[in-house]
Amino acid sequence: MYKIKLKRCLIAGAFTMLFVWPHIVFAQKQYQVAACDWMMLKRQKLGEFQLAKDIQADGIEMDMGPLGRRELFDNKLREEHFQQLFRHTADSLGIAVPSMAMSGFFAQSFLTRSNYRELITDCLQSMDVMGAKVAFLPLGGSGNDWKTAGAAHDEMVRRLHDVGEMARQHGKVIAIRTALDARANLLLLKEVNSEGIKIYYNLQDAVDQHLDPCKELKKLGTKNIGQIHASLTDSVTLDCDPRIDLHQLKKTLDKMRWSGWLVVERSRDAKDVRNVRGNYGRNVAFLKEIFQNCNPKKK
């Protein structure tokens, strides 16, 4: 009798693996769509979660707050009151926070900040509060000297390895925006040599440099892509932009078996740039039509 029951359990388990497990895996691979709160004029404002809900985004990329000449980010999430308030509001509306952004480094140099470790620690702790797994670190404010061999390059590599290990120990990833092509990014990642550092791939950078995003993504490789900013330089919304084929992009990412968050940063209608709901609503809707529907409409 025991052997019969055991045999039945094994058969049931096999059927579960055959029919249920693929659905679990498929669910895990579903693309999700978010938008940047600072670009929607809602940087660390409670209303960002309701706005995300209104435009039917799955999540929000929260910013750490302005930096400027401050020693630390102007970050509300250091206070317990705001921690509870932001977390409760996000949860109650069903809005995820996949990533925290350090947009202050668009204007400030990551290379010259003596307290860079303190700033990264602030970000990692805020990520814990909101349940984020990825930190966005733009290197635009660090100039271009570090991109070629020399002291600046060596210091950038050292600092990125340092903060990458900090992130890894927290179970997080710091995804950097470099504006480099795939080949240069791969060389940089090899030098940095930390699993806590990946590339935050920005479609705008590729298109502005007349590079093919699909070829660049394949060259970069699935394991090196932390997250994707799925938008272009402001001109028109994504559904009206001939500069990129998002259907082909999805096919590429499908073949790569990449999964994760597509985050809208720009792609605003230049004639109506402050129409937040209009611009981001259309971009989110178009991305979800392509990346989440089984039979998206062709352009």
Side-chain angles (χ1 to χ4, degrees):
M1 181 65 70
Y2 173 79
K3 289 182 178 180
I4 293 174
K5 287 183 177 179
L6 178 61
K7 186 176 181 180
R8 287 174 178 172
C9 287
L10 290 173
I11 293 172
F15 273 94
T16 298
M17 292 295 292
L18 183 62
F19 293 106
V20 178
W21 179 248
H23 293 286
I24 295 172
V25 172
F26 178 79
Q28 290 175 337
K29 289 187 176 180
Q30 184 177 9
Y31 301 101
Q32 296 188 81
V33 180
C36 300
D37 69 349
W38 74 96
M39 292 302 300
M40 294 198 298
L41 311 179
K42 291 288 186 182
R43 175 189 273 160
Q44 287 204 4
K45 293 181 179 179
L46 202 60
E48 66 185 274
F49 301 109
Q50 184 61 57
L51 177 57
K53 186 80 171 180
D54 291 346
I55 64 173
Q56 298 184 42
D58 303 310
I60 279 284
E61 181 167 276
M62 284 188 70
D63 192 53
M64 284 295 295
L67 189 53
R69 296 184 179 181
R70 302 173 181 84
E71 281 295 308
L72 295 173
F73 297 108
D74 186 13
N75 178 24
K76 294 177 181 176
L77 292 176
R78 282 194 295 272
E79 300 180 31
E80 186 176 353
H81 165 70
F82 285 111
Q83 291 176 1
Q84 295 176 356
L85 187 60
F86 276 72
R87 182 70 268 171
H88 172 74
T89 304
D91 288 345
S92 65
L93 291 171
I95 299 298
V97 180
S99 47
M100 298 289 301
M102 294 175 277
S103 72
F105 284 111
F106 274 118
Q108 301 294 316
S109 175
F110 180 67
L111 281 173
T112 61
R113 281 276 174 170
S114 60
N115 68 332
Y116 72 95
R117 288 178 59 89
E118 190 176 3
L119 291 166
I120 295 297
T121 297
D122 190 17
C123 183
L124 293 173
Q125 291 174 346
S126 297
M127 292 168 72
D128 284 338
V129 171
M130 300 306 301
K133 298 296 183 183
V134 175
F136 170 43
L137 174 59
L139 301 179
S142 299
N144 293 313
D145 288 348
W146 67 269
K147 296 179 181 179
T148 54
H153 177 81
D154 293 344
E155 178 62 11
M156 179 64 80
V157 169
R158 186 192 70 79
R159 289 189 176 211
L160 288 177
H161 176 81
D162 188 18
V163 300
E165 291 303 287
M166 291 171 62
R168 183 183 62 80
Q169 290 168 14
H170 276 77
K172 314 289 187 186
V173 166
I174 294 176
I176 56 175
R177 179 181 176 183
T178 67
L180 297 170
D181 63 17
R183 179 179 174 275
N185 274 326
L186 287 172
L187 290 173
L188 177 62
L189 290 176
K190 185 176 180 179
E191 287 184 277
V192 170
N193 189 31
S194 173
E195 293 182 1
I197 296 292
K198 295 184 184 295
I199 298 301
Y200 204 127
Y201 194 79
N202 191 295
L203 299 181
Q204 173 188 327
D205 291 336
V207 172
D208 286 353
Q209 296 175 58
H210 305 289
L211 299 171
D212 183 338
C214 294
K215 291 180 179 179
E216 288 287 292
L217 284 165
K218 286 190 287 186
K219 192 179 297 183
L220 189 57
T222 303
K223 68 177 183 179
N224 296 314
I225 303 167
Q227 211 154 271
I228 296 175
H229 271 149
S231 53
L232 305 183
T233 309
D234 289 336
S235 175
V236 292
T237 50
L238 285 169
D239 57 320
C240 299
D241 203 325
R243 293 175 294 176
I244 192 166
D245 184 346
L246 290 176
H247 295 92
Q248 187 59 44
L249 188 81
K250 181 182 184 296
K251 290 180 182 178
T252 298
L253 291 173
D254 285 346
K255 288 179 180 179
M256 292 171 61
R257 297 186 178 181
W258 184 86
S259 63
W261 287 82
L262 307 170
V263 184
V264 181
E265 186 181 12
R266 292 185 182 275
S267 282
R268 297 172 296 185
D269 182 349
K271 296 179 181 178
D272 196 16
V273 73
R274 296 187 70 83
N275 183 356
V276 171
R277 289 177 184 271
N279 287 312
Y280 287 93
R282 289 186 68 168
N283 287 329
V284 166
F286 191 57
L287 285 170
K288 295 185 82 169
E289 175 188 306
I290 294 171
F291 285 88
Q292 294 184 356
N293 286 355
C294 295
N295 297 301
K297 299 175 182 178
K298 292 290 184 180
K299 289 196 292 183

